[in-house]
Short mmCIF file of all heavy atoms in Angstrom, two decimals:
data_model
loop_
_atom_site.label_atom_id
_atom_site.label_comp_id
_atom_site.label_asym_id
_atom_site.label_seq_id
_atom_site.Cartn_x
_atom_site.Cartn_y
_atom_site.Cartn_z
N SER B 69 -17.20 2.16 -1.07
CA SER B 69 -18.08 3.02 -1.85
C SER B 69 -17.29 4.20 -2.38
O SER B 69 -16.26 4.58 -1.83
CB SER B 69 -19.26 3.51 -1.00
OG SER B 69 -18.79 4.27 0.11
N ALA B 70 -17.76 4.79 -3.47
CA ALA B 70 -17.06 5.92 -4.08
C ALA B 70 -18.07 6.87 -4.71
O ALA B 70 -19.15 6.45 -5.14
CB ALA B 70 -16.06 5.44 -5.13
N GLN B 71 -17.71 8.15 -4.76
CA GLN B 71 -18.54 9.15 -5.41
C GLN B 71 -17.68 10.35 -5.76
O GLN B 71 -16.57 10.51 -5.24
CB GLN B 71 -19.69 9.58 -4.52
CG GLN B 71 -19.27 10.17 -3.18
CD GLN B 71 -20.45 10.52 -2.31
OE1 GLN B 71 -21.42 11.09 -2.78
NE2 GLN B 71 -20.39 10.17 -1.03
N VAL B 72 -18.18 11.15 -6.69
CA VAL B 72 -17.49 12.38 -7.08
C VAL B 72 -17.98 13.52 -6.21
O VAL B 72 -19.17 13.72 -6.04
CB VAL B 72 -17.74 12.71 -8.57
CG1 VAL B 72 -17.05 14.03 -8.94
CG2 VAL B 72 -17.24 11.58 -9.45
N ARG B 73 -17.02 14.24 -5.61
CA ARG B 73 -17.34 15.42 -4.81
C ARG B 73 -16.52 16.60 -5.35
O ARG B 73 -15.32 16.70 -5.08
CB ARG B 73 -17.01 15.20 -3.34
CG ARG B 73 -17.96 14.23 -2.63
CD ARG B 73 -17.64 14.16 -1.15
NE ARG B 73 -18.57 13.32 -0.42
CZ ARG B 73 -19.72 13.74 0.09
NH1 ARG B 73 -20.06 15.01 -0.06
NH2 ARG B 73 -20.51 12.92 0.76
N GLY B 74 -17.15 17.44 -6.14
CA GLY B 74 -16.44 18.58 -6.72
C GLY B 74 -15.33 18.11 -7.65
O GLY B 74 -15.59 17.38 -8.61
N GLU B 75 -14.10 18.48 -7.33
CA GLU B 75 -12.96 18.12 -8.16
C GLU B 75 -12.23 16.90 -7.63
O GLU B 75 -11.09 16.64 -8.00
CB GLU B 75 -11.98 19.30 -8.25
CG GLU B 75 -12.54 20.50 -8.98
CD GLU B 75 -12.99 20.15 -10.39
OE1 GLU B 75 -12.21 19.50 -11.12
OE2 GLU B 75 -14.13 20.51 -10.77
N GLU B 76 -12.88 16.14 -6.73
CA GLU B 76 -12.24 14.96 -6.14
C GLU B 76 -13.13 13.73 -6.31
O GLU B 76 -14.35 13.83 -6.45
CB GLU B 76 -11.99 15.17 -4.64
CG GLU B 76 -10.98 16.25 -4.31
CD GLU B 76 -10.77 16.37 -2.82
OE1 GLU B 76 -11.75 16.20 -2.05
OE2 GLU B 76 -9.63 16.64 -2.41
N VAL B 77 -12.48 12.58 -6.29
CA VAL B 77 -13.18 11.30 -6.15
C VAL B 77 -12.98 10.86 -4.71
O VAL B 77 -11.85 10.73 -4.23
CB VAL B 77 -12.62 10.24 -7.11
CG1 VAL B 77 -13.32 8.90 -6.87
CG2 VAL B 77 -12.80 10.67 -8.55
N GLU B 78 -14.09 10.64 -3.99
CA GLU B 78 -14.02 10.21 -2.60
C GLU B 78 -14.28 8.71 -2.52
O GLU B 78 -15.28 8.21 -3.04
CB GLU B 78 -15.05 10.95 -1.75
CG GLU B 78 -15.00 10.53 -0.27
CD GLU B 78 -16.16 11.09 0.54
OE1 GLU B 78 -17.27 10.50 0.43
OE2 GLU B 78 -15.96 12.08 1.23
N LEU B 79 -13.37 7.99 -1.88
CA LEU B 79 -13.50 6.55 -1.69
C LEU B 79 -13.53 6.25 -0.20
O LEU B 79 -12.71 6.78 0.56
CB LEU B 79 -12.32 5.84 -2.35
CG LEU B 79 -12.24 4.32 -2.20
CD1 LEU B 79 -13.38 3.65 -2.95
CD2 LEU B 79 -10.91 3.80 -2.71
N ARG B 80 -14.50 5.43 0.22
CA ARG B 80 -14.61 5.05 1.63
C ARG B 80 -14.51 3.53 1.77
O ARG B 80 -15.17 2.79 1.03
CB ARG B 80 -15.93 5.54 2.24
CG ARG B 80 -15.98 7.05 2.46
CD ARG B 80 -17.32 7.50 2.99
NE ARG B 80 -17.35 8.92 3.27
CZ ARG B 80 -17.28 9.46 4.49
NH1 ARG B 80 -17.20 8.66 5.55
NH2 ARG B 80 -17.31 10.77 4.66
N LEU B 81 -13.72 3.08 2.73
CA LEU B 81 -13.59 1.67 3.08
C LEU B 81 -14.05 1.50 4.53
O LEU B 81 -13.36 1.96 5.45
CB LEU B 81 -12.14 1.20 2.95
CG LEU B 81 -11.57 1.07 1.53
CD1 LEU B 81 -10.08 0.78 1.59
CD2 LEU B 81 -12.29 -0.03 0.77
N GLN B 82 -15.20 0.89 4.73
CA GLN B 82 -15.75 0.71 6.08
C GLN B 82 -15.68 -0.76 6.47
O GLN B 82 -16.18 -1.63 5.75
CB GLN B 82 -17.20 1.21 6.13
CG GLN B 82 -17.80 1.13 7.53
CD GLN B 82 -19.17 1.79 7.60
OE1 GLN B 82 -19.64 2.36 6.63
NE2 GLN B 82 -19.82 1.70 8.76
N ASP B 83 -15.02 -1.04 7.61
CA ASP B 83 -14.90 -2.43 8.06
C ASP B 83 -15.84 -2.67 9.23
O ASP B 83 -16.42 -1.75 9.80
CB ASP B 83 -13.44 -2.74 8.46
CG ASP B 83 -12.96 -1.92 9.65
OD1 ASP B 83 -13.54 -2.06 10.74
OD2 ASP B 83 -11.99 -1.14 9.49
N SER B 84 -16.00 -3.96 9.58
CA SER B 84 -16.90 -4.34 10.69
C SER B 84 -16.10 -4.80 11.89
O SER B 84 -16.59 -5.57 12.71
CB SER B 84 -17.85 -5.45 10.23
OG SER B 84 -17.12 -6.60 9.81
N GLY B 85 -14.86 -4.35 12.00
CA GLY B 85 -14.01 -4.74 13.11
C GLY B 85 -14.38 -4.04 14.41
O GLY B 85 -15.35 -3.29 14.48
N PRO B 86 -13.58 -4.27 15.47
CA PRO B 86 -13.87 -3.65 16.77
C PRO B 86 -13.67 -2.14 16.71
O PRO B 86 -12.96 -1.62 15.85
CB PRO B 86 -12.85 -4.31 17.70
CG PRO B 86 -11.74 -4.74 16.79
CD PRO B 86 -12.39 -5.12 15.50
N ALA B 87 -14.31 -1.45 17.66
CA ALA B 87 -14.17 0.01 17.74
C ALA B 87 -12.72 0.36 18.05
O ALA B 87 -12.00 -0.37 18.75
CB ALA B 87 -15.09 0.56 18.82
N LEU B 88 -12.25 1.47 17.51
CA LEU B 88 -10.90 1.94 17.74
C LEU B 88 -10.86 2.87 18.96
O LEU B 88 -11.80 3.63 19.20
CB LEU B 88 -10.39 2.72 16.52
CG LEU B 88 -10.21 1.91 15.23
CD1 LEU B 88 -9.94 2.86 14.07
CD2 LEU B 88 -9.07 0.92 15.38
N SER B 89 -9.76 2.80 19.68
CA SER B 89 -9.58 3.73 20.79
C SER B 89 -9.05 5.05 20.27
O SER B 89 -8.54 5.13 19.14
CB SER B 89 -8.59 3.15 21.81
OG SER B 89 -7.29 3.07 21.24
N ASN B 90 -9.15 6.08 21.09
CA ASN B 90 -8.60 7.38 20.70
C ASN B 90 -7.10 7.29 20.47
O ASN B 90 -6.55 7.94 19.59
CB ASN B 90 -8.92 8.43 21.77
CG ASN B 90 -10.38 8.81 21.78
OD1 ASN B 90 -11.06 8.72 20.76
ND2 ASN B 90 -10.88 9.24 22.94
N ALA B 91 -6.42 6.45 21.27
CA ALA B 91 -4.97 6.29 21.11
C ALA B 91 -4.64 5.67 19.76
O ALA B 91 -3.68 6.07 19.09
CB ALA B 91 -4.41 5.43 22.25
N GLU B 92 -5.44 4.67 19.34
CA GLU B 92 -5.21 4.05 18.03
C GLU B 92 -5.44 5.04 16.89
O GLU B 92 -4.70 5.04 15.90
CB GLU B 92 -6.13 2.83 17.87
CG GLU B 92 -5.74 1.65 18.73
CD GLU B 92 -6.75 0.51 18.63
OE1 GLU B 92 -7.95 0.77 18.82
OE2 GLU B 92 -6.33 -0.62 18.37
N LEU B 93 -6.44 5.88 17.02
CA LEU B 93 -6.70 6.88 16.00
C LEU B 93 -5.55 7.87 15.89
O LEU B 93 -5.18 8.30 14.80
CB LEU B 93 -8.00 7.63 16.32
CG LEU B 93 -9.31 6.88 16.07
CD1 LEU B 93 -10.49 7.65 16.66
CD2 LEU B 93 -9.53 6.64 14.59
N GLN B 94 -4.95 8.24 17.02
CA GLN B 94 -3.90 9.24 17.02
C GLN B 94 -2.61 8.75 16.37
O GLN B 94 -1.87 9.56 15.81
CB GLN B 94 -3.62 9.69 18.46
CG GLN B 94 -4.76 10.52 19.08
CD GLN B 94 -4.52 10.81 20.55
OE1 GLN B 94 -3.50 10.42 21.12
NE2 GLN B 94 -5.47 11.50 21.17
N VAL B 95 -2.32 7.44 16.43
CA VAL B 95 -1.05 6.94 15.88
C VAL B 95 -1.25 6.16 14.59
O VAL B 95 -0.31 5.54 14.09
CB VAL B 95 -0.32 6.05 16.92
CG1 VAL B 95 -0.02 6.83 18.18
CG2 VAL B 95 -1.13 4.78 17.23
#
Side-chain angles (χ1 to χ4, degrees):
S69 61
Q71 59 183 316
V72 178
R73 289 185 176 273
E75 295 303 312
E76 294 181 324
V77 176
E78 181 190 79
L79 177 67
R80 287 177 177 256
L81 289 173
Q82 184 173 356
D83 64 62
S84 59
L88 294 170
S89 67
N90 288 333
E92 289 175 308
L93 286 170
Q94 290 173 1
V95 301

